[in-house]
Amino acid sequence: MNNKIIIINGPNLNLLGEREQSQYGSMTYDNLKEMCIKKSNELNLDIKFAQSNIEGELVNIIQDSRQKFDGMIINAAAFTHTSIAIRDALDIFKKPIIELHISNIYKREEFRQKSLISDIVTGGIFGLGANGYILAIISMQKLLK
Ligand code: DQA
């Protein structure tokens, strides 16, 4: 049976392609989703791609993932820097988690340089643009092998 992974995207990532192209590039959210589904299919992973702008909804998605998915890739976006609730939910997941950021958060404003989740995830990818999602999917496949 294929391993199942979920890619969770936080606030404002639905507006990729429109928001701050200098940081996030020109790929739209729909194109990103398509690219991730294609790569996952190639690697025999079943994938769900999710996005919410609402903190509590993201907590619910993370909680629901416990029984449904073998691994998680998460770009918590701005909640990376603020949300203890998302951190606590991730800590309960107990399976591989990859933290992802499109931009290099350590090269940006000081408030972005602190991640509340880095110390509880399996590993992270940042600053590699939309390609980071592809690298995260490949890494997750290897982690789950
Ligand atoms: C982001 C970085 C965050 O600081 C920011 O709030 C985002 C996107 C990234 O992918 O680079 O919304 O997570």
Side-chain angles (χ1 to χ4, degrees):
M1 218 170 59
N2 286 351
N3 279 314
K4 296 183 176 52
I5 67 165
I6 182 163
I7 301 185
I8 301 175
N9 294 287
N12 301 307
L13 292 169
N14 54 314
L15 296 185
L16 283 177
E18 181 181 331
R19 69 182 290 218
E20 276 185 283
Q21 290 200 4
S22 58
Q23 291 294 349
Y24 304 117
S26 58
M27 186 176 283
T28 64
Y29 178 78
D30 284 345
N31 289 156
L32 177 70
K33 180 175 175 178
E34 217 173 281
M35 181 180 88
C36 289
I37 291 171
K38 187 166 170 265
K39 190 66 195 174
S40 302
N41 290 343
E42 273 170 33
L43 298 178
N44 295 320
L45 292 169
D46 290 345
I47 181 193
K48 178 168 178 181
F49 205 77
Q51 192 273 334
S52 176
N53 292 323
I54 300 167
E55 184 177 12
E57 252 176 43
L58 291 164
V59 171
N60 285 340
I61 294 169
I62 295 165
Q63 286 188 6
D64 289 348
S65 298
R66 282 177 300 141
Q67 322 295 347
K68 298 184 185 151
F69 297 98
D70 305 299
M72 179 183 294
I73 295 165
I74 182 160
N75 184 347
F79 290 138
T80 307
H81 318 297
T82 62
S83 178
I84 297 170
I86 287 177
R87 175 197 167 88
D88 287 349
L90 290 173
D91 211 15
I92 301 166
F93 184 64
K94 308 282 182 229
K95 295 174 193 172
I97 301 174
I98 297 177
E99 175 183 357
L100 174 75
H101 300 286
I102 297 169
S103 64
N104 182 347
I105 55 173
Y106 301 102
K107 246 166 76 176
R108 300 184 63 190
E109 303 95 322
E110 207 179 326
F111 62 84
R112 289 185 208 278
Q113 294 176 20
K114 173 78 189 160
S115 163
L116 295 187
I117 66 173
S118 290
D119 62 320
I120 56 156
V121 297
T122 311
I125 293 173
F126 57 87
L128 300 178
N131 276 330
Y133 282 79
I134 295 297
L135 296 173
I137 292 166
I138 294 169
S139 304
M140 184 56 77
Q141 191 234 11
K142 292 192 187 304
L143 284 169
L144 296 177
K145 250 190 189 159

